[in-house]
């Protein structure tokens, strides 16, 4: 029930024409769930902003140690002496722990888990302090060689950049949710040169939904962010994969076996990270992060490939340059180090290590398969690609995102069919045999927050309250003269708001509506009905003020889901939509009823 345009109190100043009017129209349009053109335009802008931030993050993490003279390449941790391989992650863990220890408790929450929590509880409104902590903390963790990925920090920083853009423009919360998805997609796309995987990940893992209105702006954000990234880094895939022998149909059983084995590895990864995260949260943060750095350093003494992002190791596995024993050692050591880093609270990513573990496990199984069928089996590097897809698909429980990621990371379309044969068994083992949730959902549930997809709730959160509010109202003061009441009622408003000083105290139907049996949504208007004139209006107002009907107050930026929750909390059937925190006469923009929300979404809620 949308009604006409909001008509606030007469004391409100008229907005200046020009950009302010244009922005106001944009906000009202974005309140509707089907604002495809407006969302697409803001998605392009968000993609550019995210692209700039992600390029800056990559430059910081890739150039710091090179500029410092410790390494000639940001990935070449294997060249460090054993002293540095132990000291660097320990010092980095201590530094990160102290930095986060002195921050407020709220500002310590970082990573994709924080993004998903903000989507579930605050409609995607991301605080800038957390984003700053993630940028700095994530960069320190990566530079110091912790067993973490780059995608966790970029997902958070990208989502926050897009969300803060929406908050700065004061856009409604339903569009900020879409901007968060744009930020996630743009961040992954710009960081790894994988625009399709970025889009699919944002929709399949973070938003848990696929809609046309959601897809279009997210795709455009990925395109604009990737374009900016390619200006700096070029358009080549992340991994250079040479021509290699691909899997034949007789190898499908072995590929299924690969999926089963990698599914067990993924289940151990998810379960270990979740349990350690839950059981270590009572320990001092600096102690936890320093211990994570120490465990990484100890693993690196035996297997230096566990340090850092590990993409050089993945490249060698794809080229078939790593022996069987080393691949097994890398997979197991990377599992132990990453569980320690992720579970003990280092602000790095959890997806990048999946790529390393999957490549190592897949490459090892490829070598075993080649020894069983010499000359006829696919190349070891091909099995490494299948391992990456299976590990990502099982750990994230997002098979489409995993397949698109490996396709774009390697530029090899031949991996898709056998990849599907590996991903689904791995997913079934992790989910059905071991009962594991997707890794980010598992961590959230371990912290007491449920994160699931509800189609009705998603529809409510995609629509702003402005799309359902009724803007035909009049405001009168309790002590107003009869002539003022008559003037307010002359425009035949749908709602009459009675003010007492600087606050609205009662919301009721005008006498004409009350006499017709409309009421105010709580019965007061009907009981106070009378002649449609000044005397009857005063009687209605006095009755409402003696027994005020409950009403809620919701922000103009709120979604319908937020409005519905406020109605439930207040035990009311209607709410005032306000531009500020309180129901001041100059800040009321409209009235929304529960039945108006139901009419807008087409469901009884």
């Amino acid at each position: 029930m949308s009604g006409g345009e909001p008509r606030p109190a007469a004391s409100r100043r008229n907005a200046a024409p020009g950009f302010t009017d244009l922005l106001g129209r944009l906000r009202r349009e974005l309140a509707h769930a089907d604002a495809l053109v407006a969302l697409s335009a803001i998605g392009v802008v968000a993609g550019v902003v995210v692209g700039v931030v992600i390029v800056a993050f990559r430059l910081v993490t890739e150039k710091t140690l090179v500029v410092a003279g410790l390494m000639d390449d940001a990935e070449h941790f294997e060249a460090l002496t054993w002293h540095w391989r132990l000291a660097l992650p320990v010092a980095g863990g201590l530094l990160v722990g102290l930095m986060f220890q002195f921050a407020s408790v709220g500002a310590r929450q970082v990573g994709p888990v924080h993004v998903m929590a903000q989507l579930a509880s605050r409609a995607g409104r991301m605080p800038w302090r957390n984003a700053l902590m993630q940028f700095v903390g994530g960069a320190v963790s990566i530079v110091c060689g912790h067993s973490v990925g780059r995608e966790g920090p970029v997902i958070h920083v990208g989502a926050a950049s897009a969300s803060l853009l929406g908050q700065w423009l004061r856009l409604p919360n339903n569009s900020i949710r879409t901007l968060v998805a744009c930020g996630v997609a743009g961040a992954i796309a710009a960081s790894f040169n994988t625009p399709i995987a970025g889009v699919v990940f944002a929709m399949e893992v973070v938003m848990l939904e696929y809609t046309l209105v959601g897809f279009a702006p997210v795709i455009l954000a990925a395109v604009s962010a990737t374009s900016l990234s390619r200006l700096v880094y070029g358009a080549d895939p992340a991994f250079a994969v040479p021509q290699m022998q691909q899997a034949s149909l007789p190898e499908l059983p072995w590929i299924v076996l690969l999926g089963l084995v990698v599914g067990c590895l993924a289940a151990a990864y998810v379960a270990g990270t979740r349990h350690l995260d839950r059981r270590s949260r009572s320990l001092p943060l600096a102690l936890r992060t320093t211990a994570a750095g120490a465990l990484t350093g100890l693993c690196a003494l035996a297997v230096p490939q566990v340090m850092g992002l590990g993409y050089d190791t993945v490249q060698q596995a794809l080229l078939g340059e790593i022996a069987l024993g080393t691949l097994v050692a890398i997979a197991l050591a990377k599992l132990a180090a990453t569980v320690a880093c992720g579970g003990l609270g280092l602000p790095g990513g959890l997806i990048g290590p999946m790529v390393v573990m999957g490549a190592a496990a897949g490459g090892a199984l490829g070598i075993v398969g080649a020894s069983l069928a010499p000359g006829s089996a696919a190349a070891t590097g091909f099995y490494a690609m299948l391992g990456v897809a299976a590990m990502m698909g099982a750990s994230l429980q997002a098979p489409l995102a995993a397949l698109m990621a490996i396709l774009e990371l390697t530029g090899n379309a031949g991996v898709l069919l056998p990849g599907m044969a590996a991903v689904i068994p791995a997913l079934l083992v992790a989910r059905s045999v071991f009962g594991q949730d997707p890794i980010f959902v598992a961590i959230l549930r371990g912290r007491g927050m449920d994160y699931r997809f509800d189609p009705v709730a998603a529809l409510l959160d995609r629509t702003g309250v402005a799309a359902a509010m009724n803007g035909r109202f009049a405001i009168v003061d309790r002590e107003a003269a009869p002539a003022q009441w008559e003037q307010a009622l002359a425009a035949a408003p749908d709602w009459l708001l009675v003010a007492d000083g600087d606050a609205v105290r009662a919301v009721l139907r005008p006498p004409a509506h009350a006499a017709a049996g409309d009421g105010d949504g709580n019965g007061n208007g009907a009981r106070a009905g009378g002649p449609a004139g000044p005397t009857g209006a005063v009687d209605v107002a006095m009755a409402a003020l003696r027994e005020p009907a409950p009403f809620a107050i919701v922000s103009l930026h709120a979604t319908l889901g937020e409005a519905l929750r406020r109605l439930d909390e207040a035990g009311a059937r209607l709410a005032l939509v306000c531009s500020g925190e309180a129901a001041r006469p100059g800040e009321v923009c409209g009235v929304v009823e529960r039945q108006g929300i139901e009419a807008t979404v087409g469901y009884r809620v």
Side-chain angles (χ1 to χ4, degrees), residues 10 52 109 136 216 251 273 395 408 443 467:
V52 171
Q109 310 305 314
V136 178
E251 291 182 75
T273 304
S395 300
E408 291 187 298
I443 295 173

Side-chain angles (χ1 to χ4, degrees), residues 101 171 194 221 244 249 270 346 436 478 500:
Q101 192 79 49
L171 302 182
T194 55
M244 61 178 67
L249 290 179
V270 175
L346 283 173
Q436 297 301 315
R478 175 179 179 175
D500 187 2

Side-chain angles (χ1 to χ4, degrees), residues 131-182:
L132 180 61
M133 294 295 291
Q134 175 66 95
F135 190 103
V136 178
V140 171
S141 285
I142 293 172
V143 168
C144 291
H146 294 145
S147 183
V148 296
R150 186 172 62 210
E151 75 299 322
V154 301
I155 286 172
H156 182 174
V157 173
S161 299
S163 174
L164 290 169
L165 171 67
Q167 294 176 55
W168 178 64
L169 293 174
R170 299 179 63 195
L171 302 182
N173 289 354
N174 63 305
S175 59
I176 289 181
R177 287 179 57 86
T178 303
L179 282 176
V180 168
C182 291

Side-chain angles (χ1 to χ4, degrees), residues 397-478:
Q397 296 188 14
L400 187 57
L403 290 169
M404 290 300 100
I406 193 62
L407 171 63
E408 291 187 298
L409 286 171
T410 64
N412 190 330
V415 76
L416 290 179
L417 178 60
M420 289 187 281
V423 166
I424 299 305
L427 173 62
L428 292 175
V429 167
R431 185 180 181 91
S432 300
V433 176
F434 291 100
Q436 297 301 315
D437 290 316
I439 189 165
F440 298 127
V441 175
I443 295 173
L444 279 174
R445 289 179 177 169
R447 297 176 183 178
M449 177 178 290
D450 197 9
Y451 194 84
R452 64 179 70 244
F453 176 68
D454 181 338
V456 177
L459 181 57
L460 289 167
D461 287 334
R462 284 200 303 269
T463 310
V465 71
M469 75 178 183
N470 187 334
R472 292 183 52 80
F473 65 88
I475 301 178
V476 291
D477 193 86
R478 175 179 179 175

Side-chain angles (χ1 to χ4, degrees), residues 20 47 279 287 304 593:
T20 303
R279 296 187 178 187
L287 175 62
E593 298 177 274

